[in-house]
Amino acid sequence: MVPVSTKISPLLEVVTPIPQEDRKRQADLKEVPAIVASALILLALATSILAWALTEVESPGEVTSGEDQTEPVVPDMEMAEPSKGVSEGVTERTYSGVLLASGHATSTEYVWSNVMLVWQRTVFHFQPEKNWMNDPNGPLYHKGWYHIFYQWNPEGAAWGNKISWGHAVDSKDLLHWYHLPWAMYPDQPYDLNGVWTGSATTLPDGKLAMLYTGETEDELVQDQCLADPVNPTDPLLVDWVKYSVNPVIYPPPGIGVKDFRDPTTACRSPAGNDTRLITIGSKLGKTGISLVYETTNFTTFKLLYGVLHAVPGTGMWECVDLYPVSTKSVIVITQENGLDTSVHGLGVKHVLKTSFDDDKHDYYALGTYDLQADTFVPDDPDLDVGIGLRLDYGKYYAARTFYNQNKQRRILWGWIGETDLEAVDPMKGWASLQAIPRSIVFDKKTGTNVLQRPEEEVESWSTRSKTFHDISFEPGSVVPIHVTGATQLDITASFEVDETLLETTSESHDAGYDCSNSGGAGTRGSLGPFGLLVVADEKLSELTPVYLYVAKGGEGKAKAHLCTYQTRSSMASGVEKDVYGSAVPVLDGENYSARILTDHSIVESFAQAGRTSVRSRDYPTKDIYGAARSFFFNNATEASVRASLKAWQTKSFIRPYPFIPDPKS
Ligand code: DQQ
């Protein structure tokens, strides 16, 4: 065991929680003195830390853009288009700027350089070569190739009315994608306002049916349409043709024409004879619902009586996803297999996931899909969709799964949107990315949640690794993690904490701890927070703490939370700075554990093998290229933490830039 005691208690200053709205309004003004003060303290502290850190100083990373790297880029707010929103079929940008009394947006004062903007582009997350992207669409595995389609604007880096389906393929590791020509473009009366989100169904004979939502241009009516690959034997599925008598489903009576979208993958119905069921999200008043349709041919559909499920007060349900997970403890193929969409019966539960248009979060519930009654019944009404669990507690939306029949895995894709100002997107030339694909299985230990883990191919994305065994960190310490290439890391860490302290500590029961209202990593308890500082620079002038906070819960038992603290992640204004996170179950005898992947401007965190996960999009100005560092920290007041950690440097897959025009355009 190596004891470490670099004392830095003032590092993560306690911030009094303030309401979210006020926080956004005040953030820019308040942070400046706090950051300056902290920076001075940290400068002194960093000197002692440097003795460690200097042993492995990285050379600056390569700048890939051919543009002038020094030329500053000033957001032109007047040129910016108004923010897009619900009525236009896309997620509203949550951060829309901070207006000063003068009426000027503070964000215009931040001068982004090309060097900073170029650095934000990720190296192992899926991104199109340019322009705007949102929801993942129709993911599938076909003849040895992974396919991802996605909502894409061929005309620029903002959501617009020419939303099309971008398309990329990869045959080996979900990393080395080939960008193909767009698959579908809004060019028919039934989809002139956009080829929106949809899903693929692989039929037993290997044929594919792709259902998507089209929106008409004049009345903005949302209808469901069918498309097929021109040549189903083509492993790349390059060409797609829309069905000649689309749309195949109109909004039924009583359903708002703008509230009817995002058909799911079809599953087999007990009615037999190739009868299949799909579900489509909608709302009735403020009640989120999902309708069920039956089809035998994907061209004619029958609306079934009632709804799959309804939850009052949850508003419009977008991107509904319904799939089975295995509850069996002994599985023939593997302990961790996923299931085909049509599997049901003994040893199977269903996950119902919906994306809430009202608050832009993805919620799910575990339950039973009764195929006779065509209804979903949650296991626990207190954990129903929108009341209980979220797929992710950070920036993550419109997720969609597919079944990889080759590996028997259910794989989840989800969209990470931008959290800065829209005006900056055209300067970068792109907006948004997809979170790394995760496999999704039932958590047989808790029985109350799913586990989401980076899909196994992600292991092959790593190159060099460094291991740190059994290191003891005193309360109030921060220690650099000596790894090169801290801009792109895959870190696994396990932590041991002396929980008997909960019996002796004067700390009162804190069952109501909540990452978002806690004040962040500066809120100190006897047993936490502890974790990593990522996307940080040597002086810690910018840093994103990802940490576990162990509070004293009911009956004096430990209650853990996984949090990501963005408040000091960027010195730039015009950037959302939230504290994300949620509780994570830790069972008796388990160590605390986390997996954290950083890819330039993205941090993806998983706790306890994926019981809880958090994504964040960061916009640093200092800790970029070779200046990026990672640290371990323990900001508990009483507990020492023993940690073991392995950090892998991940491979890069830099996509060609500038963009090579589509052969079709
Ligand atoms: N995005 C699509 C819609 C979907 C929404 C439009 C969710 O089909 O409901 O781009 O982000």
Side-chain angles (χ1 to χ4, degrees), residues 411-659:
I411 301 177
L412 176 76
W413 283 104
W415 165 41
I416 301 178
E418 302 289 330
T419 52
D420 63 344
L421 294 168
E422 271 188 316
V424 185
D425 294 343
M427 298 171 209
K428 297 196 305 273
W430 59 270
S432 305
L433 23 75
Q434 301 297 334
I436 55 169
R438 314 174 196 175
S439 71
I440 197 155
V441 293
F442 177 64
D443 185 347
K444 296 180 185 99
K445 287 188 182 163
T446 63
T448 53
N449 55 275
V450 292
L451 295 174
Q452 304 171 61
R453 299 178 186 157
E455 172 55 2
E456 67 175 9
E457 272 87 350
V458 175
E459 315 298 330
S460 69
W461 300 0
S462 302
T463 53
R464 282 172 297 168
S465 69
K466 215 158 175 187
T467 306
F468 305 83
H469 277 303
D470 219 7
I471 305 177
S472 178
F473 299 98
E474 290 181 10
S477 57
V478 63
V479 177
I481 300 168
H482 300 290
V483 283
T484 49
T487 49
Q488 49 199 85
L489 291 177
D490 182 351
I491 302 170
T492 55
S494 78
F495 307 100
E496 273 179 65
V497 186
D498 179 9
E499 284 183 12
T500 57
L501 276 170
L502 283 175
E503 289 159 21
T504 52
T505 180
S506 56
E507 191 171 309
S508 55
H509 284 236
D510 192 8
Y513 181 87
D514 176 327
C515 300
S516 306
N517 299 323
S518 65
T523 301
R524 304 184 72 182
S526 54
L527 276 79
F530 55 85
L532 301 181
L533 308 177
V534 293
V535 200
D537 62 332
E538 215 158 69
K539 294 179 180 169
L540 297 175
S541 52
E542 289 177 331
L543 59 146
T544 300
V546 178
Y547 54 94
L548 289 156
Y549 187 93
V550 182
K552 191 167 173 178
E555 296 168 9
K557 284 197 146 191
K559 188 166 182 209
H561 298 254
L562 171 70
C563 315
T564 295
Y565 177 59
Q566 278 190 316
T567 309
R568 293 187 39 201
S569 61
S570 176
M571 294 177 105
S573 54
V575 169
E576 188 177 273
K577 291 166 186 171
D578 263 333
V579 189
Y580 299 129
S582 183
V584 52
V586 181
L587 306 183
D588 286 348
E590 288 183 344
N591 278 348
Y592 296 95
S593 66
R595 182 160 176 190
I596 300 165
L597 293 101
T598 63
D599 182 4
H600 287 230
S601 57
I602 292 286
V603 180
E604 302 211 26
S605 315
F606 304 81
Q608 303 307 122
R611 285 187 190 135
T612 300
S613 66
V614 179
R615 304 283 152 287
S616 75
R617 172 82 164 87
D618 289 348
Y619 300 87
T621 62
K622 303 272 176 215
D623 43 357
I624 58 179
Y625 300 99
R629 298 284 183 274
S630 299
F631 299 81
F632 173 85
F633 79 97
N634 174 12
N635 208 27
T637 53
E638 293 182 56
S640 294
V641 173
R642 240 165 45 171
S644 292
L645 184 144
K646 189 162 183 177
W648 287 265
Q649 197 184 348
T650 47
K651 287 180 199 164
S652 292
F653 178 56
I654 312 270
R655 294 157 197 93
Y657 194 87
F659 180 68

Side-chain angles (χ1 to χ4, degrees), residues 88-91 132 134-135 137 151-152 159-160 163 195-198 213 222 261-262 316-319 355 357 360 397-398 415:
E88 292 179 278
V90 74
T91 303
W132 167 272
N134 54 298
D135 316 355
N137 293 153
Q151 294 281 279
W152 183 64
W159 194 88
I163 288 293
V195 177
W196 286 6
T197 285
T213 299
Q222 292 166 12
R261 52 186 181 270
D262 312 334
M316 176 67 197
W317 286 6
E318 300 184 311
C319 304
S355 302
D357 201 14
K360 316 301 173 209
Y397 195 60
W415 165 41

